[in-house]
Coordinates of all heavy atoms in Angstrom, one line a residue:
M710 N 122.0 95.0 99.1 CA 120.8 94.2 99.2 C 119.8 94.4 98.1 O 118.6 94.6 98.4 CB 120.2 94.3 100.6 CG 121.0 93.9 101.8 SD 121.3 92.2 101.8 CE 121.2 91.8 103.6
S711 N 120.3 94.4 96.9 CA 119.3 94.7 95.8 C 118.8 93.4 95.2 O 117.8 93.5 94.5 CB 120.0 95.6 94.7 OG 121.2 94.9 94.3
R712 N 119.5 92.3 95.5 CA 119.0 91.1 94.9 C 117.8 90.6 95.6 O 117.8 90.3 96.8 CB 120.1 90.0 94.9 CG 120.4 89.4 93.6 CD 121.5 88.5 93.6 NE 121.3 87.4 94.6 CZ 122.2 86.5 94.9 NH1 123.3 86.5 94.3 NH2 121.9 85.5 95.7
Q713 N 116.7 90.4 94.9 CA 115.5 89.9 95.6 C 115.1 88.6 94.9 O 114.9 88.5 93.7 CB 114.4 91.0 95.4 CG 113.4 90.9 96.5 CD 112.5 92.1 96.5 OE1 112.2 92.7 95.5 NE2 111.9 92.4 97.7
K714 N 114.9 87.6 95.7 CA 114.6 86.3 95.0 C 113.1 86.2 94.9 O 112.3 86.7 95.7 CB 115.2 85.1 95.8 CG 114.5 84.8 97.1 CD 115.1 83.5 97.7 CE 114.2 83.1 98.9 NZ 114.7 81.9 99.6
I715 N 112.7 85.5 93.9 CA 111.3 85.3 93.6 C 110.8 84.1 94.4 O 111.4 83.1 94.4 CB 111.0 85.0 92.1 CG1 111.3 86.3 91.3 CG2 109.6 84.6 91.9 CD1 111.3 86.2 89.8
I716 N 109.8 84.3 95.2 CA 109.2 83.3 96.0 C 108.0 82.7 95.3 O 107.1 83.4 94.9 CB 108.8 83.8 97.4 CG1 109.8 84.7 98.0 CG2 108.4 82.7 98.3 CD1 109.3 85.5 99.2
R717 N 108.0 81.4 95.2 CA 106.9 80.7 94.7 C 106.2 79.8 95.7 O 106.9 79.2 96.5 CB 107.2 79.9 93.4 CG 107.4 80.7 92.2 CD 107.5 80.0 90.9 NE 107.8 80.9 89.8 CZ 107.0 81.6 89.2 NH1 105.7 81.5 89.5 NH2 107.3 82.4 88.3
C718 N 104.9 79.7 95.6 CA 104.1 78.9 96.5 C 104.3 77.4 96.1 O 104.1 77.0 95.0 CB 102.7 79.3 96.5 SG 101.6 78.2 97.5
A719 N 104.7 76.6 97.1 CA 104.9 75.2 96.9 C 103.6 74.4 96.7 O 103.6 73.3 96.2 CB 105.7 74.5 98.0
A720 N 102.5 75.0 97.0 CA 101.2 74.4 96.9 C 100.6 74.7 95.5 O 100.1 73.8 94.8 CB 100.2 74.8 98.0
C721 N 100.5 75.9 95.0 CA 99.9 76.2 93.8 C 100.8 76.8 92.7 O 100.4 77.1 91.6 CB 98.8 77.2 94.1 SG 99.4 78.9 94.5
A722 N 102.1 76.9 93.1 CA 103.1 77.3 92.1 C 103.0 78.8 91.7 O 103.7 79.3 90.8 CB 103.2 76.4 90.9
G723 N 102.1 79.5 92.4 CA 101.9 80.9 92.1 C 103.0 81.7 92.8 O 103.6 81.3 93.8
R724 N 103.2 82.9 92.3 CA 104.2 83.8 92.9 C 103.7 84.4 94.2 O 102.5 84.8 94.3 CB 104.6 84.9 91.9 CG 105.7 85.7 92.4 CD 106.3 86.5 91.3 NE 107.3 87.4 91.9 CZ 107.9 88.4 91.2 NH1 107.7 88.5 89.9 NH2 108.7 89.2 91.8
I725 N 104.6 84.5 95.2 CA 104.2 85.2 96.4 C 104.9 86.5 96.5 O 106.1 86.5 96.4 CB 104.6 84.3 97.6 CG1 103.9 82.9 97.6 CG2 104.2 85.0 98.9 CD1 104.4 81.9 98.6
K726 N 104.2 87.6 96.7 CA 104.8 88.9 96.8 C 105.4 89.0 98.2 O 104.7 88.7 99.2 CB 103.8 90.0 96.6 CG 103.3 90.0 95.2 CD 102.6 91.4 94.9 CE 102.1 91.5 93.5 NZ 100.8 90.9 93.3
P727 N 106.7 89.3 98.3 CA 107.4 89.3 99.6 C 106.7 90.2 100.7 O 106.8 89.9 101.9 CB 108.7 89.9 99.3 CG 108.9 89.7 97.9 CD 107.6 89.8 97.2
Q728 N 106.0 91.2 100.2 CA 105.3 92.1 101.2 C 103.9 91.6 101.6 O 103.3 92.1 102.5 CB 105.2 93.5 100.6 CG 104.1 93.7 99.5 CD 104.7 93.5 98.1 OE1 105.7 92.7 98.0 NE2 104.2 94.1 97.1
H729 N 103.5 90.4 101.0 CA 102.2 89.8 101.4 C 102.5 88.8 102.4 O 103.6 88.1 102.4 CB 101.5 89.2 100.2 CG 100.9 90.3 99.3 ND1 100.2 89.9 98.2 CD2 101.0 91.6 99.3 CE1 99.8 91.1 97.6 NE2 100.2 92.1 98.3
P730 N 101.5 88.5 103.3 CA 101.7 87.4 104.3 C 101.9 86.1 103.6 O 101.2 85.7 102.6 CB 100.4 87.5 105.1 CG 99.5 88.2 104.2 CD 100.2 89.1 103.3
H731 N 102.9 85.3 104.1 CA 103.1 83.9 103.7 C 103.7 83.1 104.7 O 104.2 83.6 105.7 CB 103.8 83.9 102.3 CG 105.2 84.5 102.4 ND1 105.4 85.9 102.3 CD2 106.4 83.9 102.5 CE1 106.7 86.1 102.4 NE2 107.4 85.0 102.5
I732 N 103.8 81.8 104.5 CA 104.3 80.9 105.4 C 105.6 80.3 104.9 O 105.6 79.9 103.7 CB 103.3 79.7 105.7 CG1 102.0 80.3 106.3 CG2 103.9 78.7 106.7 CD1 100.9 79.3 106.2
G733 N 106.6 80.2 105.7 CA 107.8 79.5 105.2 C 108.1 78.3 106.1 O 108.0 78.3 107.3
V734 N 108.4 77.1 105.4 CA 108.7 75.9 106.2 C 110.2 75.6 105.8 O 110.5 75.3 104.7 CB 107.8 74.7 105.8 CG1 108.2 73.5 106.6 CG2 106.4 75.1 106.1
E735 N 111.0 75.8 106.8 CA 112.4 75.6 106.6 C 113.0 74.3 107.0 O 112.7 73.8 108.1 CB 113.2 76.7 107.4 CG 114.6 76.8 107.2 CD 115.3 77.8 108.1 OE1 114.6 78.4 108.9 OE2 116.6 77.9 108.0
D736 N 113.7 73.7 106.0 CA 114.3 72.4 106.3 C 115.7 72.7 107.0 O 116.6 73.3 106.4 CB 114.6 71.7 104.9 CG 115.3 70.3 105.1 OD1 116.0 70.2 106.1 OD2 115.0 69.4 104.3
L737 N 115.7 72.4 108.2 CA 116.9 72.8 109.0 C 118.2 72.1 108.6 O 119.2 72.6 108.9 CB 116.6 72.6 110.5 CG 115.5 73.5 111.1 CD1 115.2 73.2 112.5 CD2 115.8 75.0 110.9
E738 N 118.1 70.9 108.0 CA 119.3 70.3 107.6 C 119.8 70.8 106.3 O 121.0 71.0 106.1 CB 119.0 68.7 107.5 CG 119.1 68.1 108.8 CD 118.5 66.6 108.8 OE1 118.7 66.0 107.7 OE2 117.9 66.2 109.8
A739 N 118.9 70.9 105.3 CA 119.3 71.3 104.0 C 119.3 72.8 103.8 O 119.9 73.4 102.9 CB 118.2 70.8 103.0
G740 N 118.8 73.6 104.8 CA 118.8 75.0 104.7 C 117.8 75.5 103.6 O 118.0 76.7 103.1
E741 N 116.9 74.7 103.2 CA 116.0 75.0 102.1 C 114.7 75.5 102.8 O 114.3 75.1 103.9 CB 115.6 73.7 101.4 CG 116.0 73.6 100.0 CD 115.4 72.4 99.4 OE1 115.6 71.3 100.0 OE2 114.7 72.5 98.4
E742 N 114.0 76.4 102.1 CA 112.7 76.8 102.7 C 111.6 76.7 101.6 O 111.8 77.2 100.5 CB 112.9 78.2 103.2 CG 111.6 78.7 104.0 CD 111.9 80.0 104.8 OE1 112.8 80.0 105.5 OE2 111.1 80.9 104.6
F743 N 110.5 76.1 102.0 CA 109.3 76.0 101.2 C 108.4 77.1 101.6 O 108.2 77.3 102.8 CB 108.6 74.7 101.3 CG 109.5 73.5 101.0 CD1 110.2 72.9 102.0 CD2 109.6 73.0 99.7 CE1 111.0 71.7 101.7 CE2 110.4 71.9 99.4 CZ 111.1 71.3 100.4
S744 N 107.8 77.8 100.6 CA 106.9 78.9 100.9 C 105.5 78.6 100.5 O 105.3 77.9 99.5 CB 107.4 80.2 100.2 OG 108.7 80.5 100.6
Y745 N 104.6 79.1 101.2 CA 103.2 78.9 100.9 C 102.4 80.2 101.1 O 102.7 81.0 102.0 CB 102.5 77.8 101.8 CG 103.1 76.5 101.7 CD1 104.3 76.1 102.4 CD2 102.6 75.5 100.8 CE1 104.9 74.9 102.3 CE2 103.2 74.3 100.7 CZ 104.3 74.0 101.4 OH 104.9 72.7 101.3
H746 N 101.4 80.4 100.2 CA 100.5 81.5 100.4 C 99.7 81.4 101.8 O 99.6 80.3 102.3 CB 99.4 81.5 99.3 CG 99.9 82.0 98.0 ND1 99.9 81.2 96.9 CD2 100.4 83.2 97.6 CE1 100.4 81.8 95.9 NE2 100.7 83.1 96.3
A747 N 99.3 82.5 102.3 CA 98.6 82.5 103.6 C 97.1 82.1 103.4 O 96.4 81.9 104.3 CB 98.6 83.9 104.2
R748 N 96.7 81.9 102.1 CA 95.3 81.6 102.0 C 95.0 80.1 102.3 O 95.9 79.3 102.3 CB 94.8 81.9 100.5 CG 95.5 81.2 99.4 CD 94.7 81.4 98.1 NE 95.4 80.8 97.0 CZ 96.1 81.5 96.1 NH1 96.1 82.8 96.1 NH2 96.7 80.9 95.1
P749 N 93.7 79.9 102.8 CA 93.4 78.5 103.4 C 93.8 77.3 102.6 O 94.3 76.4 103.1 CB 91.9 78.6 103.6 CG 91.6 80.0 103.7 CD 92.6 80.8 102.8
E750 N 93.6 77.3 101.2 CA 93.9 76.1 100.4 C 95.4 75.8 100.5 O 95.8 74.7 100.6 CB 93.6 76.3 98.9 CG 92.2 76.9 98.6 CD 92.2 78.4 98.6 OE1 92.5 79.0 97.5 OE2 92.0 79.0 99.6
C751 N 96.2 76.9 100.4 CA 97.7 76.7 100.4 C 98.2 76.3 101.8 O 99.1 75.5 101.9 CB 98.4 77.9 99.8 SG 97.9 78.3 98.1
Q752 N 97.5 76.9 102.8 CA 97.9 76.6 104.1 C 97.6 75.1 104.4 O 98.4 74.4 105.1 CB 97.1 77.4 105.1 CG 97.7 78.7 105.4 CD 97.2 79.3 106.8 OE1 97.3 78.7 107.8 NE2 96.6 80.5 106.7
K753 N 96.5 74.6 103.9 CA 96.1 73.3 104.1 C 97.2 72.3 103.5 O 97.6 71.4 104.1 CB 94.7 73.0 103.5 CG 94.1 71.7 103.8 CD 92.6 71.7 103.5 CE 92.0 70.4 103.6 NZ 92.2 69.6 102.3
R754 N 97.6 72.6 102.2 CA 98.6 71.9 101.5 C 99.9 71.9 102.4 O 100.6 70.9 102.5 CB 98.9 72.5 100.2 CG 98.2 71.8 99.0 CD 98.6 70.4 98.7 NE 99.9 70.3 98.0 CZ 100.0 70.4 96.7 NH1 98.9 70.8 96.0 NH2 101.1 70.2 96.0
C755 N 100.2 73.1 102.9 CA 101.4 73.3 103.7 C 101.4 72.3 104.9 O 102.4 71.6 105.1 CB 101.5 74.7 104.2 SG 102.8 75.0 105.4
V756 N 100.3 72.3 105.6 CA 100.2 71.4 106.8 C 100.4 69.9 106.3 O 101.1 69.2 106.9 CB 98.9 71.6 107.5 CG1 98.7 70.5 108.6 CG2 98.8 73.0 108.1
E757 N 99.7 69.5 105.3 CA 99.7 68.1 104.8 C 101.2 67.8 104.4 O 101.7 66.7 104.8 CB 98.8 67.9 103.6 CG 97.3 68.0 104.0 CD 96.4 68.0 102.8 OE1 96.9 68.1 101.6 OE2 95.2 68.1 103.0
E758 N 101.8 68.6 103.6 CA 103.1 68.3 103.1 C 104.1 68.3 104.3 O 105.0 67.5 104.3 CB 103.5 69.3 102.0 CG 102.7 69.1 100.8 CD 103.2 70.0 99.7 OE1 104.2 70.8 99.9 OE2 102.6 70.0 98.6
T759 N 104.0 69.2 105.2 CA 104.9 69.2 106.3 C 104.8 68.0 107.2 O 105.8 67.4 107.6 CB 104.7 70.5 107.2 OG1 104.8 71.7 106.3 CG2 105.7 70.6 108.3
V760 N 103.5 67.5 107.4 CA 103.3 66.3 108.2 C 104.0 65.1 107.5 O 104.7 64.3 108.1 CB 101.8 66.0 108.4 CG1 101.6 64.6 108.9 CG2 101.2 67.0 109.3
T761 N 103.9 65.0 106.1 CA 104.5 64.0 105.4 C 106.0 64.0 105.5 O 106.7 63.0 105.7 CB 104.1 64.1 103.9 OG1 102.7 64.2 103.8 CG2 104.7 62.9 103.1
R762 N 106.6 65.2 105.4 CA 108.0 65.4 105.5 C 108.5 65.0 107.0 O 109.6 64.4 107.1 CB 108.5 66.8 105.2 CG 108.2 67.1 103.7 CD 108.8 68.4 103.3 NE 108.4 68.9 102.0 CZ 107.6 69.9 101.8 NH1 107.2 70.7 102.8 NH2 107.2 70.2 100.6
L763 N 107.7 65.5 108.0 CA 108.1 65.2 109.3 C 108.1 63.7 109.6 O 109.0 63.2 110.3 CB 107.1 65.9 110.3 CG 107.3 67.4 110.5 CD1 106.2 67.9 111.3 CD2 108.6 67.8 111.1
E764 N 107.2 63.0 109.0 CA 107.1 61.5 109.1 C 108.3 60.9 108.5 O 108.7 59.8 108.9 CB 105.8 61.0 108.5 CG 104.6 61.2 109.4 CD 103.3 60.9 108.8 OE1 103.3 60.6 107.5 OE2 102.3 61.0 109.5
A765 N 108.9 61.5 107.5 CA 110.1 61.0 106.9 C 111.4 61.3 107.7 O 112.5 61.0 107.3 CB 110.2 61.6 105.5
G766 N 111.2 61.9 108.9 CA 112.3 62.1 109.8 C 113.0 63.4 109.6 O 114.1 63.6 110.2
K767 N 112.4 64.4 108.9 CA 113.1 65.6 108.7 C 112.7 66.6 109.8 O 111.7 66.4 110.5 CB 112.6 66.2 107.3 CG 112.9 65.3 106.1 CD 113.7 66.1 105.1 CE 114.1 65.2 104.0 NZ 115.3 65.7 103.3
V768 N 113.6 67.6 109.9 CA 113.4 68.6 111.0 C 113.1 70.0 110.3 O 113.8 70.4 109.5 CB 114.6 68.7 111.9 CG1 114.3 69.6 113.1 CG2 115.1 67.4 112.3
Y769 N 111.9 70.5 110.7 CA 111.5 71.8 110.1 C 111.2 72.8 111.1 O 110.9 72.6 112.3 CB 110.3 71.5 109.3 CG 110.5 70.8 108.0 CD1 110.4 69.4 107.9 CD2 111.0 71.5 106.9 CE1 110.7 68.7 106.8 CE2 111.3 70.8 105.7 CZ 111.1 69.4 105.7 OH 111.5 68.7 104.6
A770 N 111.4 74.1 110.7 CA 110.9 75.2 111.5 C 110.0 76.0 110.6 O 110.3 76.3 109.4 CB 112.1 76.1 111.9
A771 N 108.8 76.4 111.2 CA 107.9 77.1 110.4 C 108.0 78.6 110.7 O 108.2 79.0 111.9 CB 106.4 76.6 110.7
H772 N 107.9 79.4 109.7 CA 108.0 80.9 109.9 C 106.7 81.5 109.3 O 106.3 81.1 108.2 CB 109.2 81.5 109.2 CG 110.5 80.8 109.5 ND1 111.1 81.0 110.7 CD2 111.2 79.9 108.8 CE1 112.3 80.3 110.7 NE2 112.3 79.7 109.6
H773 N 106.2 82.4 110.0 CA 105.0 83.1 109.5 C 105.4 84.5 109.2 O 105.8 85.3 110.0 CB 103.9 83.2 110.5 CG 103.2 81.8 110.7 ND1 103.7 80.9 111.6 CD2 102.2 81.3 110.1 CE1 103.0 79.8 111.5 NE2 102.0 80.0 110.6
Y774 N 105.4 84.8 107.9 CA 105.8 86.2 107.4 C 104.6 87.0 107.3 O 103.7 86.7 106.5 CB 106.6 86.1 106.1 CG 107.8 85.2 106.2 CD1 107.8 83.9 105.7 CD2 109.0 85.8 106.7 CE1 109.0 83.2 105.8 CE2 110.2 85.0 106.8 CZ 110.2 83.7 106.3 OH 111.3 83.0 106.4
H775 N 104.5 88.0 108.0 CA 103.3 88.9 108.0 C 103.5 90.0 106.9 O 104.6 90.3 106.5 CB 103.1 89.5 109.3 CG 102.5 88.6 110.3 ND1 101.3 88.6 110.8 CD2 103.1 87.5 110.9 CE1 101.0 87.6 111.6 NE2 102.1 86.9 111.7
S776 N 102.4 90.5 106.5 CA 102.4 91.6 105.5 C 103.2 92.7 106.0 O 103.4 93.0 107.2 CB 100.9 92.0 105.3 OG 100.8 93.4 105.1
S777 N 103.8 93.5 105.0 CA 104.7 94.6 105.4 C 103.9 95.7 106.0 O 104.4 96.6 106.7 CB 105.4 95.1 104.1 OG 104.4 95.4 103.1
T778 N 102.6 95.6 105.9 CA 101.7 96.7 106.5 C 101.1 96.2 107.8 O 100.3 96.9 108.4 CB 100.6 97.1 105.6 OG1 99.8 95.9 105.2 CG2 101.1 97.7 104.3
C779 N 101.5 95.0 108.3 CA 100.9 94.5 109.5 C 101.3 95.4 110.7 O 102.5 95.6 110.9 CB 101.3 93.1 109.8 SG 100.6 92.4 111.2
P780 N 100.3 95.9 111.4 CA 100.7 96.8 112.6 C 101.2 96.1 113.8 O 101.7 96.8 114.7 CB 99.3 97.5 112.8 CG 98.3 96.6 112.4 CD 98.9 95.7 111.3
D781 N 101.0 94.8 113.9 CA 101.4 94.2 115.2 C 103.0 94.1 115.3 O 103.6 93.8 114.3 CB 100.9 92.8 115.2 CG 99.5 92.8 115.9 OD1 98.9 93.9 116.1 OD2 99.0 91.7 116.1
E782 N 103.5 94.4 116.4 CA 104.9 94.3 116.6 C 105.4 92.9 116.8 O 106.5 92.6 116.3 CB 105.3 95.2 117.8 CG 105.4 96.6 117.5 CD 105.9 97.5 118.6 OE1 106.7 97.0 119.4 OE2 105.5 98.6 118.6
S783 N 104.6 92.0 117.4 CA 105.0 90.6 117.5 C 103.8 89.8 117.0 O 103.1 89.3 117.7 CB 105.4 90.2 118.9 OG 104.4 90.6 119.8
P784 N 103.7 89.8 115.6 CA 102.5 89.3 115.1 C 102.5 87.7 115.2 O 103.5 87.1 115.2 CB 102.6 89.7 113.6 CG 104.0 90.0 113.3 CD 104.6 90.4 114.6
G785 N 101.3 87.2 115.2 CA 101.1 85.8 115.3 C 99.7 85.6 114.6 O 99.2 86.4 113.9
F786 N 99.1 84.4 114.9 CA 97.8 84.1 114.3 C 96.8 85.1 115.0 O 96.9 85.5 116.1 CB 97.3 82.7 114.6 CG 97.9 81.7 113.7 CD1 99.0 80.9 114.1 CD2 97.4 81.6 112.4 CE1 99.5 80.0 113.2 CE2 98.0 80.7 111.5 CZ 99.0 79.9 111.9
G787 N 95.9 85.6 114.2 CA 94.9 86.5 114.7 C 95.5 87.9 114.9 O 95.0 88.6 115.8
C788 N 96.5 88.3 114.2 CA 97.1 89.6 114.4 C 96.1 90.7 113.9 O 95.2 90.3 113.1 CB 98.4 89.7 113.6 SG 98.2 89.6 111.8
S789 N 96.4 91.9 114.3 CA 95.4 92.9 113.9 C 95.5 93.3 112.4 O 94.7 94.0 111.9 CB 95.6 94.1 114.8 OG 96.9 94.5 114.8
G790 N 96.6 92.8 111.7 CA 96.7 93.0 110.3 C 95.9 92.0 109.5 O 95.8 92.2 108.3
G791 N 95.4 91.0 110.1 CA 94.6 90.0 109.4 C 95.4 89.2 108.4 O 94.8 88.7 107.4
C792 N 96.7 89.0 108.7 CA 97.5 88.2 107.7 C 97.1 86.8 107.6 O 97.0 86.2 106.6 CB 98.9 88.3 108.1 SG 99.5 89.9 108.3
F793 N 96.8 86.2 108.8 CA 96.5 84.7 108.8 C 95.2 84.6 109.5 O 95.0 85.2 110.6 CB 97.6 83.9 109.5 CG 98.9 84.0 108.9 CD1 99.9 85.0 109.3 CD2 99.2 83.2 107.8 CE1 101.1 85.1 108.7 CE2 100.5 83.3 107.2 CZ 101.4 84.2 107.6
D794 N 94.3 83.8 109.0 CA 93.1 83.4 109.7 C 93.5 82.5 110.8 O 94.3 81.7 110.7 CB 92.1 82.7 108.8 CG 91.6 83.6 107.7 OD1 91.4 84.8 108.0 OD2 91.4 83.1 106.5
T795 N 92.8 82.7 112.0 CA 93.1 81.8 113.0 C 92.4 80.5 112.6 O 91.3 80.5 112.0 CB 92.4 82.3 114.4 OG1 91.1 82.7 114.1 CG2 93.2 83.4 114.9
P796 N 93.1 79.3 112.8 CA 92.6 78.1 112.3 C 91.1 77.8 112.7 O 90.4 77.2 111.9 CB 93.5 77.0 113.0 CG 94.8 77.8 113.3 CD 94.3 79.2 113.5
M797 N 90.7 78.3 113.9 CA 89.3 78.1 114.3 C 88.3 78.9 113.5 O 87.2 78.5 113.3 CB 89.1 78.6 115.8 CG 90.0 77.8 116.7 SD 89.7 76.1 116.7 CE 91.0 75.5 117.8
A798 N 88.8 80.0 112.9 CA 87.8 80.9 112.2 C 87.7 80.6 110.7 O 86.9 81.2 110.0 CB 88.3 82.3 112.4
V799 N 88.5 79.6 110.3 CA 88.4 79.3 108.8 C 87.2 78.6 108.4 O 86.7 78.9 107.3 CB 89.7 78.4 108.4 CG1 89.5 77.9 107.0 CG2 90.9 79.1 108.7
A800 N 86.5 77.8 109.2 CA 85.3 77.1 108.8 C 84.2 78.1 108.6 O 84.2 79.2 109.1 CB 84.9 76.2 110.0
N801 N 83.3 77.7 107.7 CA 82.2 78.6 107.2 C 82.7 79.7 106.3 O 82.5 80.8 106.4 CB 81.4 79.2 108.4 CG 80.9 78.2 109.4 OD1 80.5 77.1 109.0 ND2 81.1 78.5 110.6
Ligands
LIG283 ZN1 99.6 79.2 96.8
LIG284 ZN1 100.1 90.3 110.6

């Protein structure tokens, strides 16, 4: 398992470090996955683009990849590692 693929953010085209938190949106038919940074701008793009694709009749599964240092065993939004801001807390 030495081959490591480079992940790029579909919103800003920047590189995503695999050990950093990010979001994956998987096209279940094509087996393709779009990745996005966990930061609010990229997450917003992620939501917009996913809605557009869903409207086109595609089926997706979203994955939240937490930081490699995240201490939560079953991490989700608002995890103690602070990987993803809870949507409510983004404002201000
Ligand atoms: Zn990005
Ligand atoms: Zn986390």
Side-chain angles (χ1 to χ4, degrees):
M710 293 295 219
S711 58
R712 235 177 55 184
Q713 208 168 25
K714 73 172 189 185
I715 292 170
I716 313 169
R717 283 194 187 276
C718 176
C721 70
R724 186 165 172 186
I725 300 171
K726 294 197 178 83
Q728 72 272 28
H729 285 184
H731 59 281
I732 301 166
V734 181
E735 187 184 359
D736 181 329
L737 294 177
E738 281 169 32
E741 242 189 310
E742 189 167 305
F743 302 93
S744 302
Y745 297 87
H746 285 116
R748 59 170 178 252
E750 313 89 86
C751 297
Q752 273 200 58
K753 191 164 169 276
R754 263 294 279 283
C755 171
V756 171
E757 289 167 359
E758 290 184 3
T759 304
V760 167
T761 307
R762 292 187 192 114
L763 286 172
E764 281 171 354
K767 302 236 177 202
V768 187
Y769 287 96
H772 306 285
H773 289 84
Y774 298 101
H775 285 249
S776 144
S777 56
T778 56
C779 183
D781 273 8
E782 281 185 27
S783 53
F786 280 105
C788 66
S789 51
C792 304
F793 299 97
D794 290 325
T795 48
M797 301 302 175
V799 175
N801 308 317

